[in-house]
Amino acid sequence: MLPFVHELLNYRSVAVVGMEKNCGKTECLNYILRSLPLEKRRICVTSIGLDGETTDQVTRTPKPEIVLRDGMYFSTSEAHYRSRRLIAEVVDISGEMTALGRIITAKVVSEGNVILSGPSSTASLRRWMDGLAGYGIDLTIIDGALSRKSSASPAVSDAVILATGAALSSSLPTLVDMTAFCVEMIRLPLCKEDEGAYDETVTISSMDSEIDIGQNVRRVDVSGALTDRLLGRLTAESCIGNLEVTVQDFTRIFASPLSYRKFTRAGGRLAVRQRTRLLALCVNPLAPNGYVMDSDLLCAELEKRTGMPVYDIKRQEK
């Protein structure tokens, strides 16, 4: 069993997030679901998007199905609950409607396959998780995607597992750069809680047409998304060398690596008000078009850039 699976048991909720479609997220999720000791923990799994289909709707390539073991709990839409290929006992029916019907939460009685399509927003996901309290769930696993980063927000998940791979880029240096930057954003430091440590703090948003930052300002709290445009305007401030910019968490950052590097080279610092824990980085060296990267080289380069272990699930499980 890979080391990060044991670490999962220390958390109440974990998001498995792919940087792009076909980066091995479902393989990673299935590995976790196969490996977790169900005799020690009560597990529930859902998806903030859609996962478990046999064929990718964009690339038309085969996809791994999601396999759930006896005793696991899961949540999915009414439409996909009806198409399940397992025996389950319904324990809850949500009153909230989605495009695919209400959300059904059930306990697996006999192992099989299911398509997951759970709560579609951060708020509904949070409400669903709160509702699980009555069933004694120890660990909630959320299947997500970087395009819908809200599932990895600390407001929802205590920790995150990131999946990347050749589907993101056929260039190994580009793939490593993009993944390393994402890891860096997840690992941003927490801001100082004592606002008295600053001469002055101002709050702004990406919608503000003007930013007025005086020389005494040492901290800027961004209330929404941090975009390239906003970060560029902050970089141009004369007081940038003494400035700490904070966002709620890494999922609010939509600035490019280039903008971020310009900001830090000018002396600016970026921090978060809530932080999630990155438990593992997993890779899929196979792209949907059949292109295959050297798995050993990809893992080695990512380990060098991120300073953390990198796993090729399919290769290392053999």
Side-chain angles (χ1 to χ4, degrees):
M1 184 186 302
L2 297 178
F4 69 86
V5 175
H6 291 289
E7 197 172 355
L8 285 174
L9 302 177
N10 296 324
Y11 298 91
R12 297 285 297 176
S13 55
V14 176
V16 183
V17 178
M19 290 195 63
E20 182 59 79
K21 290 174 66 67
N22 300 294
C23 277
K25 172 173 58 69
T26 307
E27 288 284 1
C28 183
L29 177 63
N30 273 331
Y31 173 77
I32 292 168
L33 296 177
R34 284 196 300 272
S35 305
L36 284 170
L38 298 185
E39 68 278 4
K40 296 181 180 179
R41 292 290 189 276
R42 189 170 288 186
I43 311 296
C44 188
V45 61
T46 193
S47 176
I48 198 168
L50 176 67
D51 202 1
E53 298 172 295
T54 57
T55 304
D56 188 284
Q57 297 302 305
V58 177
T59 62
R60 310 308 301 173
T61 53
K63 287 187 61 179
E65 296 181 85
I66 292 174
V67 182
L68 299 185
R69 294 153 58 197
D70 299 5
M72 285 183 167
Y73 290 73
F74 68 96
S75 288
T76 193
S77 66
E78 284 183 89
H80 289 126
Y81 183 78
R82 294 191 193 99
S83 67
R84 71 195 185 283
R85 286 185 285 126
L86 51 73
I87 300 173
E89 173 188 326
V90 174
V91 298
D92 183 69
I93 301 176
S94 169
E96 295 185 44
M97 290 296 296
T98 72
L100 296 170
R102 295 169 295 179
I103 301 298
I104 306 292
T105 301
K107 181 181 179 181
V108 179
V109 176
S110 180
E111 179 177 307
N113 304 109
V114 67
I115 295 175
L116 296 176
S117 54
S120 58
S121 69
T122 303
S124 57
L125 185 61
R126 186 75 258 176
R127 285 192 294 271
W128 169 77
M129 291 175 67
D130 291 341
L132 293 178
Y135 304 106
I137 301 299
D138 299 298
L139 172 63
T140 303
I141 301 174
I142 305 161
D143 171 272
L146 205 63
S147 58
R148 302 182 71 176
K149 292 191 292 187
S150 56
S151 61
S153 167
V156 176
S157 306
D158 299 328
V160 62
I161 294 170
L162 185 65
T164 188
L168 182 63
S169 174
S170 58
S171 164
L172 190 143
T174 300
L175 169 55
V176 171
D177 284 345
M178 294 173 71
T179 305
F181 179 69
C182 182
V183 170
E184 187 176 356
M185 295 300 98
I186 296 173
R187 288 173 157 178
L188 283 171
L190 282 168
C191 62
K192 296 183 179 67
E193 292 185 8
D194 181 12
E195 293 190 13
Y198 299 91
D199 294 335
E200 188 178 340
T201 299
V202 298
T203 301
I204 62 173
S205 79
S206 57
M207 302 301 293
D208 291 338
S209 58
E210 296 183 5
I211 300 177
D212 184 18
I213 299 177
Q215 289 299 316
N216 291 330
V217 173
R218 295 293 178 267
R219 173 168 162 179
V220 175
D221 289 335
V222 178
S223 62
L226 180 64
T227 61
D228 275 341
R229 180 171 175 268
L230 180 55
L231 196 58
R233 288 157 67 188
L234 291 169
T235 302
E237 290 290 323
S238 59
C239 60
I240 184 63
N242 297 311
L243 203 62
E244 179 178 83
V245 175
T246 73
V247 293
Q248 185 62 32
D249 58 66
F250 89 97
T251 67
R252 308 295 180 91
I253 300 170
F254 294 90
S256 67
L258 179 61
S259 295
Y260 175 69
R261 302 300 174 210
K262 287 181 178 178
F263 170 74
T264 55
R265 281 197 297 268
R269 300 180 304 279
L270 185 58
V272 291
R273 298 188 287 277
Q274 280 186 294
R275 196 182 190 205
T276 192
R277 176 68 185 270
L278 179 60
L279 296 184
L281 180 58
C282 301
V283 299
N284 176 15
L286 175 64
N289 61 7
Y291 175 71
V292 183
M293 283 186 174
D294 183 313
S295 178
D296 288 336
L297 181 58
L298 176 57
C299 290
E301 289 298 314
L302 281 171
E303 287 182 2
K304 187 189 304 180
R305 287 287 297 276
T306 64
M308 65 183 300
V310 179
Y311 306 99
D312 180 341
I313 296 290
K314 290 189 73 171
R315 188 167 181 268
Q316 291 177 264
E317 194 182 9
K318 292 178 181 178

